[in-house]
Amino acid sequence: PPAPLPASRPAPPASPPASPPASPPAPPPAPPALAFSAAECFKGKTIFFVGNSISREHYYAARSILFDENSGSTNEHKLECGQGGVAAGKRPGQGSCHGLCGCSHYNESLGINMAFLWQQRVFDAGIKSTLFGADKKMVAKPGDIFIISAGSDDIFDQQFRASWRQRLQEQMPQMASAMAKARDTYGMQIFWR
């Protein structure tokens, strides 16, 4: 007689149906849109950078960011805006500018003007005139922004170094008073750094 067939094994239990591949996690929600852009914030205003060659470089860095332009080299900056340091770039009333006493650039598509002005002393009639909107060449108007850093060249320049503390004590109260008046009376926004 033929050998009995081995008993068939029961079939393994059926596997659960394969689940579809997992979806990648959902991206995080987008941040809420800003209510304004920097360009909208500064539209119709002039941003004044006032000081020495360090302020001149801040002026170019801000131009590069706001206007999305190549700011060029330091030598190009000197040609456009004058130079300080050994050349002691100064505004009128403070001596020869050795070229230009400042510069400005208007971006028509954004409606923003930016300006750089040399200011070696902490305070003098020139900066007072500019803060009060009376400078005929660089006219400031209510709402304009000033970023001022002046007076450090009195420490750097050997001919002024011996008297810089006295000069600071004399000029700083005048500057503080002029900045408060420019803010309160003329509506200027002023930042001292």
Side-chain angles (χ1 to χ4, degrees):
L5 293 175
S8 61
R9 296 187 157 179
S15 302
S19 53
S23 302
L34 292 175
F36 62 89
S37 71
E40 290 168 343
C41 181
F42 298 130
K43 189 173 184 118
K45 293 181 170 69
T46 297
I47 305 168
F48 289 90
F49 289 83
V50 181
N52 59 15
S53 58
I54 296 167
S55 294
R56 182 189 62 208
E57 294 309 307
H58 292 158
Y59 161 79
Y60 278 100
R63 264 180 61 173
S64 179
I65 292 166
L66 276 176
F67 300 161
D68 193 26
E69 65 181 25
N70 181 342
S71 66
S73 70
T74 300
N75 285 334
E76 291 169 319
H77 302 172
K78 290 176 182 180
L79 289 174
E80 184 178 356
C81 295
Q83 58 186 350
V86 174
K90 300 175 184 176
R91 292 185 65 206
Q94 298 183 59
S96 169
C97 289
H98 300 276
L100 300 166
C101 297
C103 54
S104 65
H105 181 76
Y106 179 68
N107 185 295
E108 191 171 346
S109 65
L110 296 176
I112 301 171
N113 192 36
M114 294 184 75
F116 165 73
L117 297 170
W118 284 104
Q119 181 68 30
Q120 306 294 89
R121 306 286 78 79
V122 171
F123 182 78
D124 63 10
I127 188 64
K128 180 179 178 182
S129 174
T130 303
L131 284 170
F132 294 172
D135 187 320
K136 303 286 188 245
K137 293 182 181 175
M138 293 283 190
V139 178
K141 58 195 178 315
D144 282 350
I145 300 160
F146 284 85
I147 301 166
I148 303 172
S149 176
S152 59
D153 287 355
D154 285 346
I155 299 169
F156 303 145
D157 190 324
Q158 290 192 11
Q159 79 179 40
F160 295 115
R161 190 174 296 159
S163 61
W164 77 267
R165 288 182 201 275
Q166 176 188 346
R167 197 181 308 270
L168 183 67
Q169 289 174 348
E170 292 169 0
Q171 295 178 7
M172 200 61 222
Q174 295 174 301
M175 183 58 149
S177 175
M179 288 190 304
K181 183 175 180 180
R183 179 195 64 216
D184 299 339
T185 305
Y186 300 100
M188 306 303 180
Q189 299 178 60
I190 303 171
F191 303 89
W192 180 272
R193 58 167 196 82

